[in-house]
Amino acid sequence: MAHLARAEDISPLTALLSDPKISQPIYTLPKQINHDTIGAFIDRHLEERERGEGLLMLSTDANGVATAYHDIQFWPQWAACELGGAISTAQQNSGQGGAGALEAFNWLFEVIGVDLICETAALDNVRTARLLERIG
């Protein structure tokens, strides 16, 4: 189950993103992954949430280990958003990324009420390109 990221999530999120296989292709993440940069990343998203411009969510397992993060940027003036994120390497290649993306898209359209979801990825982010091709 995902929850809004908060200060207590700095360590689990840092641990997840410390794996360059997860973080390196994602251009919206800090270039350096450490306690301070992830703390600032969470703080920035908390400020965006206050303005209605973004959400940062974290999924954890029963032991509090981060298994995924979800980064949503909203453009209310266009009823649009961008969804980014990643899942742990242990969950990759299992269909969970595609299922999670479809669930998130449905939530954004049906519950949040956006009309448009924009997706972008760096040229070297092959995993996201494949995911977007699969889910259309």
Side-chain angles (χ1 to χ4, degrees):
M1 177 63 108
H3 64 269
L4 289 172
R6 53 197 187 275
E8 302 89 79
D9 294 314
I10 294 172
S11 292
L13 185 55
T14 301
L16 174 69
L17 298 177
S18 291
D19 183 344
K21 287 184 243 168
I22 294 173
S23 60
Q24 188 277 326
I26 303 174
Y27 67 89
T28 56
L29 290 172
K31 296 297 177 212
Q32 298 272 325
I33 303 296
N34 59 53
H35 186 272
D36 292 339
T37 61
I38 296 304
F41 185 68
I42 290 173
D43 287 344
R44 188 183 86 228
H45 281 80
L46 290 171
E47 292 168 6
E48 290 173 354
R49 180 176 179 259
E50 290 295 316
R51 295 189 308 266
E53 297 173 355
L55 292 174
L56 180 63
M57 301 173 81
L58 189 67
S59 295
T60 55
D61 65 15
N63 299 314
V65 174
T67 57
Y69 88 99
H70 323 276
D71 184 354
I72 307 167
Q73 298 297 305
F74 293 103
W75 302 293
Q77 67 273 31
W78 296 304
C81 72
E82 177 182 35
L83 172 65
I87 61 174
S88 68
T89 54
Q91 294 181 314
Q92 293 177 6
N93 300 315
S94 66
Q96 291 184 43
L102 287 174
E103 186 177 325
F105 291 162
N106 287 334
W107 178 73
L108 288 163
F109 284 125
E110 296 170 14
V111 177
I112 301 299
V114 300
D115 295 328
L116 178 69
I117 298 174
C118 304
E119 287 298 321
T120 59
L123 290 174
D124 62 345
N125 191 339
V126 191
R127 300 189 71 76
T128 296
R130 279 194 228 139
L131 171 70
L132 295 174
E133 284 176 11
R134 268 195 330 272
I135 63 175

